[in-house]
Amino acid sequence: MLPWKRLLRPLAALLLTAAVAVVPAAGAAQAATAPTSGWNDYSCKPSAAHPRPVVLVHGTFANSADNWLALVPYLENRDYCVFSFDYGQLSGVPLFYGLGPIDKSAEQLKTFVDKVLAATGAAETDLVGHSQGGLMPRYYLRFLGGAAKVNALVGIAPDNHGTTLSGLTNLLPYFPGVGDFLTTNTPGLADQVVGSPFLTKLNAGGDTVPGVKYTVLATKYDEVVTPYQSQFLSGSGVHNVLLQDLCPLDLSEHVAIGLFDRIAFHEVANALDPAHATATTCASALS
């Protein structure tokens, strides 16, 4: 049982981190579903400066509120219409999402994007996702017609080529039945393991699809998506960024880069509006 417990430890740590973020935001989880000053406000009309609504896609164990409590006001202050939604729900599991089959989650994304575009009148959207939220939209882009409706995908610590969770998932073949348990009970996790059928299908024939701009933001201190280089994409229209190349003092790991790292947020803003991009440095933490 000890190796199995070791396998679950990183997942438990991520769950605990998400729970800590949710507790002070218990009310916000509901408030985020109602019209606010730009967050899930379906009367929001994109400005001429920022003509595309931004759809935020949370990560595994997170939800549409807790993952974005810092990034939403950052984007709102820059005059974006911002939307987020919950996906990958498991029956009987509240608040913690992103656990269902990723291909089915991508169908939920498709439905939500259509809803946002219909409400805002925009022709395209931009997607920003953290962790699984940076991976899952690629299925939508490749297999569900999303490329025609998405201008850019910004992945914050996405597990584009899967994760070994610091090598611990390599233990799975030595424990008969454990892989089946994960697939049956938490397919969203199983889909993210290096070499999974989902990832094999997704990445066959290349990482990108024509017409979409891709940005990947990674930190070398990522302890969940390992090795961190596996997050990067290959192909045309790809901009891979290691935060420590921009600010060596940035110590963010997998959770922090998505929750409150304003250096990463500055790069998100650059990706959403490249015509007005400015250099990202350590000072961007104060911008």
Side-chain angles (χ1 to χ4, degrees):
M1 290 296 293
L2 183 57
W4 172 232
K5 290 180 180 179
R6 289 181 60 204
L7 175 63
L8 286 179
R9 190 176 301 150
L11 302 181
L14 182 57
L15 177 59
L16 178 60
T17 303
V20 170
V22 168
V23 170
Q30 293 182 347
T33 64
T36 63
S37 58
W39 190 358
N40 285 350
D41 179 358
Y42 289 92
S43 67
C44 185
K45 299 301 180 183
S47 66
H50 298 139
R52 293 177 299 275
V54 178
V55 172
L56 304 178
V57 189
H58 65 73
T60 309
F61 289 126
N63 61 54
S64 60
D66 69 51
N67 213 144
W68 307 119
L69 291 174
L71 182 57
V72 164
Y74 187 93
L75 294 177
E76 282 185 318
N77 290 338
R78 287 155 178 80
D79 196 29
Y80 285 95
C81 293
V82 186
F83 300 85
S84 64
F85 73 113
D86 293 321
Y87 70 87
Q89 299 91 334
L90 292 182
S91 178
V93 180
L95 290 180
F96 303 110
Y97 303 121
L99 299 174
I102 297 182
D103 58 347
K104 300 302 181 184
S105 294
E107 293 177 4
Q108 293 179 282
L109 173 61
K110 171 182 170 65
T111 299
F112 188 76
V113 167
D114 287 346
K115 178 181 178 181
V116 168
L117 292 180
T120 60
E124 290 183 309
T125 186
D126 289 322
L127 306 178
V128 179
H130 179 215
S131 192
Q132 182 191 157
L135 164 71
M136 178 268 279
R138 292 180 51 224
Y139 190 95
Y140 165 56
L141 297 177
R142 181 176 292 276
F143 298 111
L144 301 178
K149 301 177 180 180
V150 174
N151 168 70
L153 169 62
V154 183
I156 305 173
D159 47 347
N160 282 314
H161 299 98
T163 177
T164 65
L165 286 175
S166 299
L168 292 180
T169 56
N170 291 331
L171 295 173
L172 285 176
Y174 299 98
F175 295 87
V178 170
D180 291 340
F181 175 85
L182 286 176
T183 300
T184 301
N185 294 277
T186 55
L189 293 179
D191 284 345
Q192 296 176 73
V193 174
V194 170
S196 71
F198 172 82
L199 288 171
T200 299
K201 176 182 178 180
L202 176 64
N203 292 320
D207 292 345
T208 63
V209 296
V212 179
K213 304 177 184 69
Y214 296 81
T215 298
V216 175
L217 308 179
T219 170
K220 68 180 182 180
Y221 301 112
D222 199 313
E223 79 288 19
V224 174
V225 182
T226 55
Y228 74 83
Q229 294 92 338
S230 69
Q231 300 175 28
F232 295 141
L233 296 171
S234 299
S236 61
V238 172
H239 180 49
N240 293 315
V241 179
L242 181 64
L243 288 190
Q244 285 72 32
D245 288 342
L246 306 176
C247 176
L249 300 178
D250 193 322
L251 301 179
S252 290
E253 41 64 72
H254 184 79
V255 174
I257 188 178
L259 289 187
F260 51 76
D261 189 326
R262 292 178 71 89
I263 295 172
F265 293 176
H266 190 270
E267 277 296 290
V268 170
N270 281 347
L272 296 177
D273 188 7
H276 299 94
T278 58
T280 301
T281 67
C282 294
S284 300
L286 303 177
S287 64

